[in-house]
Amino acid sequence: MAAVTSVQYFTERFSLTCNKPVSHLQLACCPSHCAVPWQDKNIRIYENNNLEPPLELTGHHGDVSAMAFGTVTDRLLLCSASEDYVIVWDIDRCYTQIKEGGIASGRVVGTLLGRVVHLSLCPLSAKMAACSGSRVFILNAEREEAPRVLKAHLGPVTASEFCPWDVNLLVSTSEDRTFKIWDMKKGDILFESAVLSAYPLLSLFFMEQNSQFITGSGDGQLWCYTLPVDHKCRLVTKLDLSKLEQKHERNLRKNISPQIRPDGATRNDVRGTVETAKPVLRIWAQKLHSSHTSLKQRGSCVWIGSSDGLYLLDLDTSELLMNLPLRGIISDLSISMAGSWAISNELGGNMCCLVTSLFGTSVALLEVNSARLDELCFRMATGLSVDEQLSAVPSSPLMTMSPLNAELAKHGPKPQRKIGVSCQKSVKDQPLVFHTQVKSSGYNTAPHRTMFRPKTNVKKKSISSATTITNTKCLLSEYPSHFEAPCMPYAHLTVSTTPTLVSSLQYSGDGKQIACGLGDGSVLLYNSSLTSNPAVYTGHSKAVNTVFWSQSKRWILSTSEDPALCIWTANASEPVLTMGVEQFAKPIRSAQFYYLDKFLLLASGSNLMLYLYHLDTTRDDIKRYKQRSKSKLASKFSMKSGTDISSVSAINDFYSYIVLAAGADHTIQVFDMNQGCMATQISDAHCRAAHHLTQNKGSPFCTQALESYNLFLSSALTDGLKLWDLRTARCVRRYDSHVNRYHHCTAVFSPCGRFVATGSEDHTAYIYDTRSSNFLHKLPRHSETVLNVAFNPANPELLTGTLDGKLALFHPPESSLP
């Protein structure tokens, strides 16, 4: 046995050499013991704290090919398999037999099953699953019986595991690249997946706290599925281990100081990422036990054992937290390439890993120092966060030189015109009528046929008490936060006779009206029930890309690819204010009212602009096309890298200094308008440019916790939907079940902050719970891609808009209504 060596994060407790390669054998490791094959047919049991002398088990007549420990805490069982027997060993009983001078013996529960490549015990250690060829044998762990055979895979079965919360369910993976869910009582298949990869599925693990399981393939792909009561598995997220490592290395080069790196190397010494397939050999959950609150909240961390090392993943955010390679950073380990992993729970706060050599005959027991890893993860998290914690809700007053203090200059009354001989030459031709409105002469009107008759006995309209009570109730009603998410179809209509995409949707602040931007350049104004004919506003020559209500609910802002910006009022068919090509060289990608309607916030090219404005609704029929409203540029900011802005988000419902801007260089930049500068930048927020940003703005009808307003969403093509925390500028959750590969589908928070809705290209809309990565509802009955979604701020309603110009309104289930 080799001498014990120690490094910073790995401690090699022992290593031994077998007489044959054991690279792809299933070894066994638990918090107190580990089991390794010895001389082909025997098994040696080592205590993790006391490595010598080992307990040697004899009983197999063929080469041992698989081993597994039971999960019952008060009884340590080991099951082992060869081509002749499957044996269950009671380790405590074996120790007693050796002390009494006898021979350790086990209980044979299976005979002549072929070469078994994987063993697993149910949570109660009453049943056992043995994978041999394309079959799974279900054995009784207490006595030998005729096994039940599960056979449906087209290739050799690689792994099978019992469901921890339902022992009657078994999930198996195979080289045919599929997984199957079995009913143990009937032996039937409850669910069968499609072909997931070009490589075989190798590993399987259950996440009991969120009813999910994870499977990994030989090319480093990971799939996380839910396992609901109806057994209809839903894909939660899909990950690529190689891409996660590449992103992790880029973040280390950019943001982490040299002293934080695990190996102590400088930024220029970071090893290059090897772009090869990383087989997922083993998956195991491991909670971080640091005293830091940010790490305690990570309940979805899993260890991935691959051929080149260990990877710690956070499934909620789909991020790689830690990479512990066997080669390069750590040079004094006896194994540099792993063939198989057996990962235990904890040993005094640490984790034990039994690893075999890929090309040799060595087996080593490694102990991972969890305390050092937790501290390192915390230092990395604080190193990647902003220096000064940001908040969407301001905590300080405006600074004297803040751009938000800008005011639009008011012009005083014009001086009186002097009348005299010297001024006669300056008198120009005047119109004969000096009124702003000219009364029609009536030449074209039809002659009166009846005489005027005054109206008599006209009853005055009295406001009933019932109406008063209803109006008062509507004004004082609160958003029902306890309701379920709206998922039942309620209304449906087509916005145009020809298919026209719904490019933007937004409810007014009181939830009574809906502004709808279309691809034909028009803006429609509906009531919230979609029952009346809409008001139509036409002023754009190209597709509308943004509609936005003012906080006062009096104005509607719209932008398009013209480039042009128009502000409309509900009772006029012409825009009150128009800003066009003379102000913007590039199309306006995003625009909105900002700072309680004081400013217009625009994004054009790489510039983020604040405009002061004054709206004048009076009209002069003679000078009809002369605009009386005016605007003035107050401040202009540019992206740090000079890249074009793809989306902007800011809160207008209350005073907020924070403005978010997504760039074409895959970054999200946070601007502090109080200080007039960029506060922080999130690099590589997505693998592509984020096409949509939205913040948790809440609603006047609903109150949320103050910290909830620091959450925001970002959407990018092929990269799902991410939930961010502004205070740390880090992703806290990722939603990946919907399809978004080509069209710019948007997402939105519910007024209560409990749900997130997003469009999808599979003709549905998805509703997620902000506390889970799994979707709650999948809203069908759409004829095309759902591009836009909007929650009613006053009532639990969800509105969707599609690519072919159809609106659909959804209500909560009737069971949740009062």
Side-chain angles (χ1 to χ4, degrees):
M1 181 176 295
V4 175
T5 59
S6 177
V7 292
Q8 188 176 8
Y9 298 102
F10 272 129
T11 300
E12 184 172 309
R13 299 189 62 83
F14 78 87
S15 63
L16 56 88
T17 302
C18 301
N19 59 337
K20 288 184 179 180
V22 291
S23 60
H24 294 90
L25 299 185
Q26 180 194 10
L27 305 187
C29 186
C30 70
S32 58
H33 294 78
C34 61
V36 296
W38 183 250
Q39 302 298 332
D40 301 335
K41 302 175 183 180
N42 297 340
I43 301 172
R44 281 191 172 183
I45 307 296
Y46 291 91
E47 293 185 25
N48 294 335
N49 289 327
N50 184 17
L51 300 178
E52 294 180 357
L55 172 66
E56 190 163 342
L57 306 178
T58 59
H60 288 285
H61 297 167
D63 295 346
V64 177
S65 57
M67 293 175 288
F69 279 109
T71 57
V72 179
T73 56
D74 57 348
R75 185 185 180 191
L76 184 59
L77 297 179
L78 173 71
C79 54
S80 60
S82 63
E83 292 188 1
D84 51 357
Y85 298 131
V86 176
I87 303 177
V88 176
W89 311 83
D90 189 331
I91 301 301
D92 295 333
R93 182 171 174 269
C94 291
Y95 274 114
T96 303
Q97 291 175 342
I98 294 296
K99 288 181 181 180
E100 294 177 352
I103 300 175
S105 61
R107 182 173 56 254
V108 176
V109 296
T111 306
L112 300 178
L113 301 182
R115 179 176 173 80
V116 177
V117 298
H118 190 274
L119 288 173
S120 61
L121 282 164
C122 73
L124 302 177
S125 296
K127 296 180 181 180
M128 182 191 309
C131 303
S132 177
S134 60
R135 298 171 295 176
V136 179
F137 295 93
I138 306 300
L139 307 174
N140 190 328
E142 301 294 335
R143 58 187 178 274
E144 186 175 8
E145 294 179 351
R148 175 180 293 180
V149 182
L150 307 178
K151 184 177 180 181
H153 285 285
L154 301 179
V157 180
T158 55
S160 63
E161 296 288 346
F162 289 91
C163 180
W165 59 90
D166 190 350
V167 294
N168 293 319
L169 295 181
L170 179 79
V171 180
S172 61
T173 60
S174 170
E175 291 186 9
D176 63 5
R177 300 156 293 169
T178 66
F179 69 85
K180 290 177 173 56
I181 300 177
W182 302 84
D183 185 349
M184 298 299 300
K185 290 183 177 179
K186 301 179 181 179
D188 298 335
I189 297 177
L190 300 176
F191 183 85
E192 182 177 1
S193 74
V195 175
L196 300 181
S197 172
Y199 289 76
L201 303 182
L202 300 179
S203 54
L204 184 68
F205 180 75
F206 281 93
M207 300 283 289
E208 187 173 0
Q209 65 270 21
N210 49 15
S211 300
Q212 297 176 355
F213 67 91
I214 314 162
T215 182
S217 64
D219 59 343
Q221 304 288 327
L222 285 163
W223 293 266
C224 181
Y225 284 89
T226 61
L227 187 53
V229 179
D230 58 0
H231 309 130
K232 295 181 180 179
C233 297
R234 300 171 178 175
L235 178 64
V236 177
T237 184
K238 178 186 176 182
L239 304 175
D240 189 324
L241 205 56
S242 297
K243 292 182 179 179
L244 291 178
E245 186 187 21
Q246 293 173 17
K247 181 180 178 181
H248 182 68
E249 290 293 337
R250 289 196 301 267
N251 291 335
L252 288 177
R253 293 189 186 100
K254 292 179 181 178
N255 302 314
I256 303 297
S257 57
Q259 63 269 20
I260 297 180
R261 290 192 51 78
D263 57 346
T266 62
R267 294 181 181 179
N268 296 329
D269 296 333
V270 179
R271 63 183 180 88
T273 302
V274 181
E275 297 183 2
T276 56
K278 300 179 182 296
V280 181
L281 303 176
R282 182 68 169 165
I283 308 173
W284 196 264
Q286 176 76 9
K287 292 184 179 180
L288 302 178
H289 294 273
S290 173
S291 59
H292 304 293
T293 305
S294 60
L295 296 182
K296 282 185 178 181
Q297 295 175 350
R298 296 184 183 271
S300 59
C301 296
V302 294
W303 285 101
I304 307 297
S306 186
S307 58
D308 58 350
L310 284 177
Y311 298 84
L312 181 61
L313 299 182
D314 188 351
L315 294 179
D316 284 345
T317 61
S318 301
E319 291 184 352
L320 177 63
L321 299 179
M322 185 63 57
N323 176 16
L324 296 180
L326 295 173
R327 182 177 58 184
I329 292 178
I330 303 170
S331 57
D332 53 353
L333 295 178
S334 59
I335 296 177
S336 59
M337 293 293 288
S340 64
W341 290 84
I343 306 176
S344 75
N345 287 321
E346 303 153 2
L347 174 63
N350 294 339
M351 181 179 67
C352 287
C353 307
L354 192 63
V355 57
T356 64
S357 176
L358 181 61
F359 302 111
T361 58
S362 300
V363 179
L365 178 65
L366 306 179
E367 182 180 347
V368 181
N369 193 325
S370 298
R372 288 182 176 270
L373 285 181
D374 294 347
E375 184 66 25
L376 180 60
C377 288
F378 176 76
R379 292 166 63 188
M380 290 179 61
T382 55
L384 290 172
S385 62
V386 294
D387 297 333
E388 184 177 352
Q389 196 173 82
L390 299 174
S391 176
V393 180
S395 58
S396 60
L398 280 177
M399 302 173 62
T400 306
M401 302 302 294
S402 173
L404 300 179
N405 284 322
E407 296 290 344
L408 191 64
K410 297 182 179 179
H411 298 284
K414 295 182 179 180
Q416 295 182 357
R417 182 182 298 173
K418 296 181 180 180
I419 301 175
V421 177
S422 60
C423 299
Q424 291 180 357
K425 295 182 179 180
S426 62
V427 176
K428 298 181 180 180
D429 295 336
Q430 298 284 349
L432 296 178
V433 180
F434 296 94
H435 302 288
T436 58
Q437 295 183 357
V438 182
K439 186 177 180 180
S440 173
S441 61
Y443 291 151
N444 294 331
T445 60
H448 292 286
R449 299 295 184 184
T450 58
M451 296 181 63
F452 169 75
R453 295 179 181 178
K455 294 182 180 181
T456 58
N457 299 327
V458 178
K459 295 182 179 180
K460 294 183 179 180
K461 295 181 179 180
S462 60
I463 302 176
S464 63
S465 59
T467 306
T468 305
I469 294 174
T470 303
N471 292 339
T472 305
K473 184 179 180 181
C474 291
L475 291 174
L476 301 179
S477 63
E478 294 185 2
Y479 186 91
S481 302
H482 60 281
F483 278 15
E484 295 183 20
C487 59
M488 303 302 295
Y490 177 74
H492 187 274
L493 63 85
T494 303
V495 298
S496 177
T497 56
T498 58
T500 303
L501 65 92
V502 179
S503 56
S504 185
L505 284 176
Q506 194 189 30
Y507 277 91
S508 59
D510 56 4
K512 295 181 179 180
Q513 292 178 300
I514 301 168
C516 177
L518 302 182
D520 59 2
S522 61
V523 177
L524 306 183
L525 184 62
Y526 288 93
N527 61 14
S528 59
S529 60
L530 302 178
T531 54
S532 61
N533 293 328
V536 183
Y537 305 96
T538 56
H540 295 288
S541 60
K542 293 185 179 180
V544 175
N545 53 31
T546 304
V547 291
F548 199 93
W549 280 92
S550 65
Q551 195 270 342
S552 63
K553 301 177 284 292
R554 295 179 57 196
W555 319 107
I556 305 172
L557 179 149
S558 64
T559 63
S560 73
E561 299 290 332
D562 300 343
L565 178 145
C566 296
I567 298 180
W568 313 81
T569 183
N571 54 4
S573 59
E574 295 180 358
V576 180
L577 174 65
T578 302
M579 302 170 64
V581 182
E582 61 276 5
Q583 286 104 330
F584 314 109
K586 293 184 177 181
I588 303 173
R589 293 303 176 192
S590 184
Q592 68 169 80
F593 293 96
Y594 175 58
Y595 209 64
L596 290 183
D597 297 346
K598 181 178 179 179
F599 296 97
L600 297 177
L601 180 64
L602 312 177
S604 178
S606 61
N607 297 322
L608 189 65
M609 295 168 280
L610 282 178
Y611 274 88
L612 292 166
Y613 65 97
H614 170 71
L615 301 179
D616 191 347
T617 58
T618 60
R619 288 287 181 181
D620 187 344
D621 286 348
I622 295 178
K623 300 179 181 180
R624 182 177 179 183
Y625 297 101
K626 184 176 181 181
Q627 184 172 264
R628 292 194 172 190
S629 302
K630 56 184 177 180
S631 61
K632 179 184 177 182
L633 180 63
S635 300
K636 183 166 68 172
F637 308 89
S638 298
M639 298 289 281
K640 183 178 180 181
S641 58
T643 185
D644 284 355
I645 298 175
S646 56
S647 181
V648 170
S649 176
I651 296 178
N652 187 47
D653 295 338
F654 55 85
Y655 289 117
S656 177
Y657 305 150
I658 299 300
V659 174
L660 307 176
D665 58 350
H666 308 177
T667 63
I668 297 177
Q669 299 185 19
V670 182
F671 290 88
D672 187 345
M673 292 300 176
N674 187 22
Q675 299 183 7
C677 63
M678 188 189 74
T680 187
Q681 174 177 294
I682 304 174
S683 302
D684 292 329
H686 288 275
C687 63
R688 295 192 180 185
H691 60 261
H692 182 68
L693 293 174
T694 183
Q695 294 172 263
N696 184 17
K697 304 173 184 179
S699 167
F701 302 89
C702 187
T703 303
Q704 298 185 32
L706 197 63
E707 295 80 9
S708 301
Y709 296 103
N710 294 312
L711 300 177
F712 68 93
L713 294 167
S714 64
S715 304
L717 298 179
T718 70
D719 202 25
L721 180 66
K722 289 187 177 181
L723 178 65
W724 303 81
D725 191 336
L726 181 63
R727 295 166 295 179
T728 58
R730 294 183 64 86
C731 177
V732 295
R733 194 168 297 279
R734 179 173 174 170
Y735 309 99
D736 219 6
S737 299
H738 61 286
V739 182
N740 190 11
R741 300 189 182 99
Y742 180 77
H743 297 288
H744 290 179
C745 301
T746 63
V748 67
F749 284 98
S750 65
C752 59
R754 296 166 53 205
F755 309 114
V756 169
T758 181
S760 179
E761 294 175 8
D762 57 355
H763 300 187
T764 60
Y766 287 76
I767 297 180
Y768 295 95
D769 191 332
T770 54
R771 299 163 296 180
S772 173
S773 298
N774 182 31
F775 68 90
L776 293 176
H777 300 288
K778 187 177 180 180
L779 310 182
R781 299 188 181 181
H782 294 86
S783 56
E784 253 293 352
T785 298
V786 179
L787 292 178
N788 291 277
V789 290
F791 276 104
N792 190 323
N795 298 306
E797 297 175 348
L798 177 67
L799 182 67
T800 61
T802 63
L803 185 65
D804 58 351
K806 294 181 180 179
L807 300 178
L809 190 62
F810 294 86
H811 281 186
E814 295 182 359
S815 59
S816 65
L817 297 177

